[in-house]
Amino acid sequence: MRSAGLDTSPAARLRQLAGRVTTQAEDLRRRQKLVHELQRQKVTFGRSTSAGSFVEMPDGPEAAKGLLDGTLAGRAALSVANGEAKALAELEKYAARTGDAEFVKAFLGTLSAAGVTRLPGSLAAQLRDARAHGDTDRAAQLAASGQKVLRMLSAALARGTDPKNAAYRGADFLKDLVQQGRAQHQAGDVTYSGYQAQALIWRAHDGKPPYSKEFMEVVGRDVIVHEYEQRKDEWAASRDPLGHIFAGAQVPIADLAGALGLGTLLRPGTQMGAAGAKGGSSVVDDLFYAAKTSREAAHALLDHTPAGWNESVLDHLLTTRWDATRYLGDYTPFNDLLVTATTGQDDTSRRLASEMTKILADQVRGAFGKGDSGNLEIKDRAAFDRYTPLSYPLARAIAANIDQLSRLLLDHASFGQVAAEDMSYALALATSNDAGFEALVAAQTEHMRAALDTVPPVGLNTSNAERLGFTKADVKEFDFDGDGRVDKADIMQFLTDRTVAEARPFGHIVEIRRQVLIAQGLDDKKADEALRTMVRNAIGILPVPGAKQVGELARGAFGELIGTGYDKLAGAAYDEIARQVAQQISHHERGIDETHRTVADNRLAVERLAEQMLATAMLNKGLLDKVNIRDQIFATGTPLTIKPFAEMTPQEYSAFLAWARKKGGSDDLLDRFGNTFRRTSEVDDYLDLQIPAASGGRR
């Protein structure tokens, strides 16, 4: 047609129309096939409730496919719940469909809360039967399939009980779960409570998506109350000195796997539990596991006082129920839950962190006393050991609120009901954990770096304040001598004030750590590897992420680091900052000051960090811009500038620090830091210690 000069557009339109007809015909055939399959499987639309019957028609082929597969999966799950092991293979085919809202709604609707509860009960009973009869192949198959099915069910349940999710089954479904959880069920000759079976579903969860706050408000809170109702008399007897002889330990309600002696056979590998634990798990521990993946869910569970109780759920778990957690020896689910709930920067996280700090301070206070040497001594080892499993989450909670430590020590403020003395005893527990001590020092390091970053730059005045990110009111505040301009003398005064203020909480953390090491009979000169790493990775030489670079020499020292994205880490967690620093330093295969590598104890390590931070602050704020760097081995280029830190040799970095001390005036700042940091009288007072001055300058 084209060669004949005829218009080809009609033919093109005909081809397009034919293509659409072919496509639509195929789509119509697919839809018709789906409808026929729905009819063949007798899939019904809608549901009946106390409010009447509702008809829900799928609005497209994908929704219809979800309805069909969800119904078939639900029927297979019901068969498994009825003891038909062969149906497991059919159910596993749908394991990847739990991200489809229509599938989940149909699946849970077909299964119902009763089926959700009975399915893990049936799996556990079948697995116990296989083991009892020595059928190892059948037991292995049931365990492997059971893990997959439980994880599938957990993902579906998390979606189906979240009002924000399109798969939400409604408030009645949550209430039905509670009803079924409190009810007694039977599989073969095994009788169990519904929550014992549901707990296996929670423990199988991988956190995607997390359980909702509504789930924890309705189901989670009831689980805590239900266990206490079932166990309160036994627990009370176990705590009585005479009754303990007859009642024994404070035993929690075991989940169904624990009750049947199945250990971790129905847990996916990543949910195995802590090394050295007894292998079983309680219903409440499994609930902790499900709640830990979402701060909102964790808050909903812990920040609550049940009707008729005189203690919050958090208080209950830390005191009344604590020995039940200790019984199984697996502290990981509870510790992870506490970290999730108390380390946010929101009001609820802070309130829970404060409550936990006060409770644990009160619990361990009596474990400590003054020894004959005047140092801290553990007077009641059992009382101390009782709560050492919580030392790490406590440290993380305090670290997340590190600003409160400064307020307590400097301003005589309070952190909720926590006073400075309470915080000191809480720190005695928190710093007994190596990783906890690292978290506290890391947090205080970032607090000091952020405080030093508030120092104004040299030359700040009313005309350039806005451009440099300050206000005219800031100029007036920082201009100590009142000449209308922030000069070096003003900045040094400000740096001095901040240095002394930051040294006090640093000293409090490190001295309490030292006292705890002494009390435990350990070497009080112990140099923690974590602190060595912090110093070696030169955390202190970097500016706070997001800080403005105003010093001319600072641009050279930090230019490459800032240019590679470090400056975008504003607000990032400490470990992410540390990772970036280590990566930058190692990229150039350069060391850092050798004396920084071989710190003898925690005090020297912190003083090295302070030296790095002070030198960095002076460099950033322009205090070193006019100081002569000619003939210095760390100088480079024309005009001369400071070599990038990441490229310095240990000798060059050491020379830079010496130059900053002598020429920039940081010697005096370090002296002020050291004098304040090494003063221990405050710790002595709060922990009721009176330690004679020792040779070597102990104050």
Side-chain angles (χ1 to χ4, degrees):
M1 292 177 66
R2 186 176 291 108
S3 61
L6 299 176
D7 182 7
T8 60
S9 56
R13 286 196 294 273
L14 284 172
R15 282 196 297 272
Q16 292 174 356
L17 180 60
R20 285 200 300 271
V21 169
T22 301
T23 301
Q24 290 173 357
E26 180 61 32
D27 185 52
L28 287 171
R29 282 192 293 272
R30 184 165 65 93
R31 290 170 186 252
Q32 187 178 44
K33 185 178 179 181
L34 266 174
V35 170
H36 288 161
E37 185 64 15
L38 287 165
Q39 292 174 335
R40 189 179 74 82
Q41 296 290 347
K42 296 183 173 58
V43 174
T44 58
F45 303 106
R47 66 186 189 278
S48 297
T49 71
S50 57
S53 297
F54 297 86
V55 176
E56 298 174 353
M57 295 296 292
D59 57 6
E62 294 306 319
K65 177 67 172 171
L67 174 63
L68 173 62
D69 289 349
T71 301
L72 296 178
R75 289 174 182 172
L78 284 173
S79 296
V80 175
N82 291 329
E84 299 177 27
K86 293 181 179 179
L88 271 172
E90 178 65 22
L91 181 55
E92 283 185 68
K93 294 178 182 178
Y94 300 98
R97 295 298 308 278
T98 55
D100 181 340
E102 295 298 331
F103 172 89
V104 170
K105 284 196 293 186
F107 176 60
L108 294 179
T110 302
L111 192 53
S112 78
V116 166
T117 306
R118 291 194 304 110
L119 191 151
S122 176
L123 283 173
Q126 292 178 56
L127 183 55
R128 190 193 70 158
D129 181 74
R131 296 184 74 197
H133 288 86
D135 192 341
T136 55
D137 290 342
R138 179 178 166 228
Q141 178 60 45
L142 281 169
S145 295
Q147 290 175 18
K148 294 177 184 176
V149 166
L150 288 173
R151 177 168 280 181
M152 170 191 176
L153 190 55
S154 194
L157 192 62
R159 287 184 169 87
T161 55
D162 182 359
K164 298 177 183 176
N165 197 292
Y168 183 52
R169 290 295 306 176
D172 285 343
F173 189 80
L174 283 166
K175 294 176 183 177
D176 289 345
L177 286 171
V178 170
Q179 181 183 17
Q180 293 296 325
R182 284 178 168 261
Q184 292 294 302
H185 299 264
Q186 190 161 356
D189 62 347
V190 176
T191 301
Y192 57 92
S193 75
Y195 280 144
Q196 286 183 291
Q198 289 182 22
L200 302 185
I201 301 172
W202 311 330
R203 187 64 183 232
H205 199 49
D206 64 359
K208 301 173 184 177
Y211 278 90
S212 67
K213 73 179 183 66
E214 287 80 9
F215 178 89
M216 292 301 159
E217 287 171 348
V218 177
V219 179
R221 290 174 180 176
D222 187 69
V223 169
I224 302 291
V225 171
H226 177 66
E227 183 195 51
Y228 181 61
E229 290 172 349
Q230 297 297 308
R231 287 287 197 262
K232 61 181 178 181
D233 292 338
E234 294 175 25
W235 290 357
S238 71
R239 290 192 295 272
D240 181 84
L242 182 61
H244 179 74
I245 299 173
F246 303 100
Q250 186 171 331
V251 182
I253 294 179
D255 65 20
L256 192 52
L260 298 181
L262 301 179
T264 60
L265 287 176
L266 287 174
R267 287 189 210 163
T270 55
Q271 284 83 356
M272 282 299 182
K278 297 181 181 179
S281 188
S282 78
V283 170
V284 171
D285 287 322
D286 294 343
L287 180 68
F288 295 157
Y289 195 91
K292 71 174 186 174
T293 55
S294 161
R295 180 159 288 130
E296 193 177 48
H299 287 171
L301 186 64
L302 298 180
D303 188 33
H304 171 66
T305 300
W309 284 28
N310 58 9
E311 61 182 4
S312 68
V313 170
L314 177 61
D315 193 343
H316 169 77
L317 297 175
L318 292 173
T319 55
T320 304
R321 192 190 182 276
W322 177 236
D323 280 341
T325 298
R326 295 179 68 212
Y327 178 79
L328 292 173
D330 183 5
Y331 304 102
T332 301
F334 188 40
N335 282 358
D336 289 348
L337 172 67
L338 291 174
V339 170
T340 299
T342 62
T343 56
Q345 294 302 302
D346 56 276
D347 290 341
T348 304
S349 294
R350 282 189 284 270
R351 185 169 60 255
L352 290 172
S354 170
E355 184 180 357
M356 179 168 72
T357 301
K358 175 62 175 172
I359 291 170
L360 293 181
D362 289 345
Q363 294 298 317
V364 302
R365 190 187 308 265
F368 298 107
K370 182 176 66 175
D372 294 338
S373 66
N375 288 297
L376 190 69
E377 183 176 316
I378 298 177
K379 298 288 188 179
D380 187 342
R381 188 76 201 200
F384 175 71
D385 290 344
R386 174 177 163 81
Y387 280 101
T388 51
L390 293 175
S391 55
Y392 179 70
L394 175 61
R396 287 290 305 275
I398 298 173
N401 295 276
I402 198 66
D403 59 312
Q404 298 297 327
L405 180 56
S406 294
R407 294 182 67 252
L408 289 170
L409 297 177
L410 302 178
D411 304 329
H412 305 289
S414 62
F415 176 33
Q417 296 184 9
V418 177
E421 181 179 334
D422 301 314
M423 180 62 79
S424 298
Y425 280 102
L427 283 171
L429 177 62
T431 59
S432 68
N433 182 281
D434 290 350
F437 175 60
E438 175 192 359
L440 287 161
V441 172
Q444 181 56 31
T445 298
E446 289 306 300
H447 189 271
M448 181 171 175
R449 293 203 313 144
L452 294 179
D453 190 56
T454 63
V455 174
V458 171
L460 179 70
N461 56 46
T462 55
S463 64
N464 62 20
E466 185 175 349
R467 177 171 58 83
L468 295 176
F470 294 86
T471 66
K472 292 181 180 180
D474 291 331
V475 176
K476 186 175 181 180
E477 177 187 352
F478 299 136
D479 181 17
F480 289 103
D481 56 18
D483 64 358
R485 179 180 182 274
V486 178
D487 54 28
K488 288 188 177 183
D490 296 325
I491 295 175
M492 286 302 293
Q493 181 60 56
F494 194 85
L495 272 176
T496 300
D497 293 344
R498 295 277 63 75
T499 296
V500 171
E502 295 301 314
R504 285 179 65 183
F506 253 132
H508 212 73
I509 294 168
V510 175
E511 175 59 15
I512 290 178
R513 163 73 167 182
R514 197 180 78 87
Q515 286 295 321
V516 169
L517 290 176
I518 293 172
Q520 291 178 293
L522 302 173
D523 181 7
D524 69 321
K525 293 289 185 181
K526 178 181 178 182
D528 296 84
E529 181 57 34
L531 263 68
R532 287 197 188 99
T533 301
M534 289 169 63
V535 171
R536 183 168 61 248
N537 286 348
I539 302 300
I541 70 173
L542 291 173
V544 175
K548 296 180 177 67
Q549 300 300 304
V550 296
E552 293 177 11
L553 292 178
R555 292 188 182 93
F558 300 118
E560 181 181 351
L561 289 170
I562 303 303
T564 52
Y566 171 86
D567 204 38
K568 297 178 182 178
L569 288 173
Y574 175 86
D575 54 358
E576 173 62 15
I577 296 169
R579 186 186 68 79
Q580 291 276 4
V581 174
Q583 185 180 57
Q584 289 293 339
I585 298 297
S586 63
H587 175 70
H588 293 279
E589 298 182 352
R590 298 290 187 178
I592 208 66
D593 186 357
E594 289 299 329
T595 58
H596 284 52
R597 289 179 177 272
T598 56
V599 288
D601 60 26
N602 290 324
R603 283 177 166 175
L604 292 179
V606 169
E607 287 177 337
R608 283 297 188 178
L609 282 170
E611 182 179 20
Q612 292 177 354
M613 287 186 279
L614 289 169
T616 298
M618 296 175 70
L619 185 65
N620 285 341
K621 303 306 177 180
L623 282 169
L624 303 176
D625 279 356
K626 304 302 180 183
V627 182
N628 183 21
I629 59 173
R630 185 173 299 170
D631 299 325
Q632 297 293 336
I633 63 173
F634 54 81
T636 185
T638 304
L640 284 174
T641 187
I642 292 178
K643 181 183 291 189
F645 281 131
E647 298 178 9
M648 285 187 184
T649 65
Q651 294 75 22
E652 289 168 341
Y653 183 60
S654 182
F656 162 74
L657 292 175
W659 172 78
R661 288 195 305 270
K662 294 174 184 177
K663 301 297 185 180
S666 66
D667 249 340
D668 183 59
L669 291 174
L670 286 169
D671 187 59
R672 295 293 298 272
F673 181 89
N675 287 339
T676 305
F677 171 65
R678 288 177 176 265
R679 188 182 303 126
T680 63
S681 57
E682 214 163 35
V683 171
D684 300 346
D685 291 341
Y686 288 132
L687 296 181
D688 195 24
L689 307 174
Q690 293 179 0
I691 306 173
S695 59
R698 179 173 171 78
R699 288 176 280 274

